[in-house]
Amino acid sequence: MIISGDALTDLNLTNLIKFHQKKGTIATIVLTQVEDPSDYGVVLIDEENQITGFQEKPPRENALSNLANSGIYVFEPEIFDLIPEGVFYDFGRDLFPLLLEKKIPFCGYTHSDYWNDVGDLEMYQQGNFDALSGKVKVKIPGTLVQEGIWVGEDCEIQEGVIMAPPICIGNNCLIKKNAKLLGPVIIGNETVVDERAVLYKGIKWGSGYIGKDASVIGGIVGYATFLKDQSAVLQNAVVGSGCVIEGGTIIHSSVKVMPNQIVENDRH
């Protein structure tokens, strides 16, 4: 079995292996139904689940299938007889086309479990929020203090803080009075959220600071980054690690700030 390292999934591997053994083919590819096939390698199967062809990121209107190659495979040991030694050999570009060319049967396994290839920042954010909301089965760190709210060790949450789940707060964090955490929100270890700051659908990696009246609305903020008072990171914006966002600065929607930058007021 091979599972791509960038996959977030709770796929039932036992059911997958049973399917593979029942089919008795040399290989099985896990297939996931997707809304937009143009982002994926698309797989064509027949009524017996045997693979008949591939399309690589076809335009939506030209896609012959909505089944994406999930990067999860089961192989019989005989597969190594088809893979040359000492050279780079790719599953999608080399091995699977060879199986089709030699008319060696192999199958596709479709499923209804969670799968996210974490292929871009939007999917990274979605994967985090899906974990918080329980759409994918993962262990959430911290102590469940109330339904949908996990808090790490040695945290201080001051009076007047509003928290609407789902929320995950790391260890050694300080959430000052009258801050608003409106989930889904993720705050990494050793982060300070100052008075009246607002986080809504945001991710803040560990360390750093979110200033008074500052806000993260649908954005991602990196490690050890400081958002000073009244600054804002808006929808789909990303601020890299080690940055300083000066007071009153607005990082507008979809703007990307590289790591270790100082961004002054109104530059973005």
Side-chain angles (χ1 to χ4, degrees):
M1 177 178 292
I2 293 175
I3 302 178
S4 296
D6 56 358
L8 174 63
T9 182
D10 53 14
L11 179 72
N12 189 315
L13 301 180
T14 300
N15 289 345
L16 168 61
I17 294 295
K18 288 179 179 178
F19 172 90
H20 173 77
Q21 292 172 335
K22 180 179 179 181
K23 288 297 183 180
T25 56
I26 195 171
T28 296
I29 300 177
V30 174
L31 308 177
T32 302
Q33 292 189 18
V34 295
E35 293 184 6
D36 186 1
S38 65
D39 290 332
Y40 303 95
V42 171
V43 182
L44 311 180
I45 58 174
D46 63 18
E47 61 277 4
E48 300 296 326
N49 297 108
Q50 288 203 17
I51 292 173
T52 60
F54 298 92
Q55 285 182 294
E56 183 59 32
K57 298 183 178 179
R60 187 185 296 220
E61 62 273 15
N62 296 332
L64 301 177
S65 165
N66 69 339
L67 298 175
N69 179 350
S70 303
I72 302 173
Y73 313 125
V74 183
F75 294 121
E76 292 300 310
E78 292 76 22
I79 201 72
F80 291 108
D81 297 335
L82 301 170
I83 299 176
E85 295 184 8
V87 297
F88 182 84
Y89 202 72
D90 186 82
F91 292 120
R93 289 193 297 269
D94 300 311
L95 179 61
F96 297 144
L98 178 67
L99 295 179
L100 287 176
E101 178 185 336
K102 291 182 172 293
K103 294 182 169 53
I104 299 174
F106 63 122
C107 288
Y109 173 77
T110 59
H111 68 97
S112 58
D113 299 319
Y114 184 91
W115 176 81
N116 179 343
D117 73 338
V118 198
D120 55 30
L121 289 165
E122 182 179 354
M123 297 307 294
Y124 163 78
Q125 187 178 56
Q126 188 63 52
N128 275 276
F129 293 164
D130 288 344
L132 276 186
S133 63
K135 290 182 179 179
V136 56
K137 300 178 183 67
V138 301
K139 183 178 180 180
I140 307 297
T143 299
L144 185 64
V145 296
Q146 67 181 72
E147 185 64 31
I149 298 179
W150 291 263
V151 177
E153 297 178 354
D154 299 319
C155 289
E156 180 183 348
I157 299 175
Q158 295 183 352
E159 63 181 354
V161 173
I162 295 174
M163 297 195 294
I167 296 168
C168 180
I169 301 173
N171 300 328
N172 303 303
C173 290
L174 171 59
I175 314 297
K176 292 191 176 182
K177 59 184 181 181
N178 299 320
K180 295 181 176 65
L181 309 181
L182 309 175
V185 165
I186 296 172
I187 299 173
N189 298 339
E190 300 175 348
T191 299
V192 174
V193 178
D194 215 329
E195 297 175 11
R196 300 180 302 279
V198 177
L199 281 78
Y200 172 61
K201 291 187 177 179
I203 297 174
K204 172 64 181 81
W205 289 10
S207 191
Y209 169 76
I210 299 175
K212 293 179 180 179
D213 301 297
S215 56
V216 179
I217 309 296
I220 301 172
V221 179
Y223 182 83
T225 283
F226 289 75
L227 306 183
K228 293 191 176 181
D229 296 353
Q230 299 180 332
S231 61
V233 178
L234 301 183
Q235 184 71 31
N236 296 325
V238 178
V239 180
S241 297
C243 289
V244 176
I245 309 301
E246 295 289 359
T249 303
I250 297 176
I251 308 298
H252 289 283
S253 297
S254 301
V255 169
K256 307 295 188 293
V257 179
M258 297 299 289
N260 304 311
Q261 304 296 311
I262 297 175
V263 182
E264 297 178 356
N265 195 348
D266 293 331
R267 286 184 57 186
H268 288 264

